[in-house]
Amino acid sequence: MHLTELPYRTLAIVRGTNRDAALRTVLVLAEEGITAAEVSLTTPDALWVIEQARRELGPHATLGAGTVLTGEDAARAADAGASFLVTPGLGDDLRRTTSELPLLIGALTPSEVIAAKENGALAVKLFPASLGGPGYLKALRDPFPGVPFVPVGGVDAALALTYLAAGAVAVGVGSPLVGDAASGGDLNALRARAAGWRTALTEEIAA
């Protein structure tokens, strides 16, 4: 999984209240070119969503599980077809996990960044990024210039551009892109948001 090669440098975060709507959301985003997605395990029947999406999108799709809290979560997500795991933080149970899937480990403080890297993080999920904003990411990159950061939390298109300019390898985006689609919201509105996101991020990447 190459974070710098994600389409539009974007990881979509799909979290909702309806499993069928969540599945449709993943598939519509893929149709619209936002092909990297994590399905939060807080979504009802999230593992089923991952299984069905994997079946529809094929073995090479960038499809992961989010809100992974335990080693058991990690194992079940891998069995469902997840190709990467995203955590909001790093507890002792996750430290002991033997999962071989790439990990995006949540961290906020410098000590948490060090712990994430010591535990094999492919990248550090800067969470909640909204607490410090792009300026905090820039400050973290001074002592950690080689750490790939993926800001998550309150990232809209304008902030995504600022985070990328500050050195993020990608951004994780939930409601500003997904809206209420994963809870049964309008899929045409989702397509419109995806089109706007593509336009904004394409201009930045081409600059």
Side-chain angles (χ1 to χ4, degrees):
M1 180 179 175
H2 300 289
L3 292 169
T4 57
E5 297 176 5
L6 295 183
Y8 309 102
R9 308 261 299 270
T10 298
L11 176 62
I13 301 168
V14 177
R15 178 185 292 107
T17 60
N18 180 286
R19 72 172 197 173
D20 295 306
L23 175 59
R24 288 193 295 269
T25 297
V26 173
L27 299 180
V28 166
L29 286 170
E31 290 170 5
E32 294 297 320
I34 312 295
T35 57
E38 66 167 272
V39 178
S40 171
L41 295 186
T42 60
T43 301
D45 294 324
L47 297 175
W48 177 87
V49 175
I50 293 170
E51 287 175 350
Q52 297 304 312
R54 175 63 66 199
R55 191 167 298 155
E56 291 285 338
L57 298 175
H60 302 299
T62 307
L63 178 66
T67 325
V68 173
L69 301 176
T70 67
E72 181 180 359
D73 287 343
R76 293 171 63 209
D79 289 343
S83 56
F84 64 94
L85 307 172
V86 185
T87 83
L90 183 63
D92 287 341
D93 195 46
L94 277 175
R95 293 175 194 269
R96 294 190 295 268
T97 185
T98 57
S99 175
E100 296 183 359
L101 294 181
L103 285 168
L104 279 69
I105 297 177
L108 182 64
T109 68
S111 294
E112 291 169 348
V113 172
I114 292 170
K117 290 305 293 178
E118 286 178 346
N119 284 271
L122 171 70
V124 171
K125 168 185 168 179
L126 183 60
F127 178 78
S130 56
L131 284 183
Y136 184 60
L137 169 62
K138 188 174 180 180
L140 277 179
R141 291 193 68 243
D142 286 340
F144 302 112
V147 173
F149 285 101
V150 180
V152 174
V155 179
D156 59 16
L159 274 174
L161 302 181
T162 308
Y163 279 119
L164 292 174
V169 295
V171 295
V173 57
S175 57
L177 172 62
V178 175
D180 62 352
S183 296
D186 186 350
L187 293 181
N188 287 328
L190 174 63
R191 291 184 188 278
R193 287 191 299 273
W197 190 272
R198 289 198 316 269
T199 298
L201 272 291
T202 297
E203 291 175 355
E204 166 65 18
I205 293 167

